[in-house]
Amino acid sequence: MTSSHTDSHAHDAARSTRPASGTRDGFRADVFPEIRRPDAGHVLLGEWDAGSPEGQRAVQDGVVRAVAETPLPAGFLSRVLFAGTDGRGVLDYGQWTSEAAHRDFLRNDGGGLPERVTAALASAGALPSSGALPSPGGVGGPGPARYRLYRSMLPQGRPEAPGCVVRVAFRTAGQEAARELVDGLLDRVIGERQPGEGGIASHFHISEDGTRVVNYSEWTDAESHARVIGSMLRPDGRVIGFIESLPGVETLGFRRYVGPRGLVRA
């Protein structure tokens, strides 16, 4: 689980957030989503390369404004965009009550949201981030793909408030390989409680087609995750050794994200 990115922009990204445009009754603005909320049955995940901190802000502003201006059905639970500490990436995380609720929304033109999101991304010059997260398009705007939350590593005790999300991605050769990866990590290698000082929880999502596992990992801050990477996730350690022993699994690295922007149903 190595990264090609640094945290030189972490504090700038966190400070660059702005109040969400068009905050609405019944929603909380600019907060971390509740990943294990019981009414969430469907997840949309996408990742963008915005090119610069200015591009990150433009993507967040544009997409959040588009969502806030859309008539949202009861099945919509959240859409939150995070700024990468690398000064380029944007992570797009959305929750719906079910896949059927989201498909019904799209069948009814999605309130014009797909077109507004496409326009916002084009205006910001954002491109799908290559490699880690597939961007098939056609899922409420270009980019996000369909996932389901499979399993989670839970906090050791009373959870702290998250200040950073680490996106860890794996390419997998189908649903069986994806489940074997997650089950092995939680049942045999790491356990069901989040390790590491500053670690809060890790939520493993499997894509609809079984080609990706995405760990949405919550931390108190980016620096805590950096320290754990240096101590617990060594190339010759048990975790990396287990992952590399699995057929049909390829590690695609991680990115750190801060500064949530968006709407979360209360």
Side-chain angles (χ1 to χ4, degrees), residues 135-207:
S135 300
V139 185
R146 300 183 186 278
Y147 288 78
R148 64 184 176 93
L149 176 61
Y150 179 54
R151 294 183 66 179
S152 296
M153 288 181 192
L154 300 178
Q156 296 279 358
R158 183 182 179 90
E160 297 186 64
C164 173
V165 170
V166 181
R167 186 278 295 147
V168 189
F170 305 88
R171 181 180 287 115
T172 50
Q175 297 286 344
E176 184 177 351
R179 291 191 299 268
E180 184 177 1
L181 167 64
V182 180
D183 292 344
L185 288 173
L186 272 63
D187 295 338
R188 301 195 300 276
V189 180
I190 300 176
E192 295 184 314
R193 297 294 172 179
Q194 176 71 38
E197 184 178 355
I200 300 171
S202 289
H203 307 284
F204 292 85
H205 300 70
I206 297 178
S207 65

Side-chain angles (χ1 to χ4, degrees), residues 189 231-244:
V189 180
S231 61
M232 292 182 60
L233 298 179
R234 300 185 307 274
D236 59 347
R238 187 182 180 198
V239 174
I240 301 301
F242 168 73
I243 294 169
E244 292 181 345

Side-chain angles (χ1 to χ4, degrees), residues 75-94:
F76 173 89
L77 299 177
S78 74
R79 189 163 184 177
V80 180
L81 287 86
F82 301 88
T85 60
D86 59 357
R88 300 180 61 99
V90 176
L91 182 67
D92 186 349
Y93 189 94

Side-chain angles (χ1 to χ4, degrees), residues 40-176:
H42 190 56
V43 173
L44 302 175
L45 264 168
E47 195 168 43
W48 301 96
D49 183 352
S52 68
E54 293 76 20
Q56 290 175 312
R57 289 192 291 272
V59 170
Q60 288 180 297
D61 288 346
V63 174
V64 170
R65 187 177 301 112
V67 173
E69 293 172 352
T70 300
L72 297 170
F76 173 89
L77 299 177
S78 74
R79 189 163 184 177
V80 180
L81 287 86
F82 301 88
T85 60
D86 59 357
R88 300 180 61 99
V90 176
L91 182 67
D92 186 349
Y93 189 94
Q95 293 167 301
W96 287 74
T97 56
S98 66
E99 180 180 352
H102 182 250
R103 290 192 183 277
D104 286 345
F105 175 68
L106 294 182
R107 270 195 295 270
N108 293 311
D109 298 326
L113 180 59
E115 292 77 15
R116 286 196 291 275
V117 168
T118 298
L121 294 169
S123 177
L127 299 171
S129 184
S130 62
L133 271 64
S135 300
V139 185
R146 300 183 186 278
Y147 288 78
R148 64 184 176 93
L149 176 61
Y150 179 54
R151 294 183 66 179
S152 296
M153 288 181 192
L154 300 178
Q156 296 279 358
R158 183 182 179 90
E160 297 186 64
C164 173
V165 170
V166 181
R167 186 278 295 147
V168 189
F170 305 88
R171 181 180 287 115
T172 50
Q175 297 286 344
E176 184 177 351

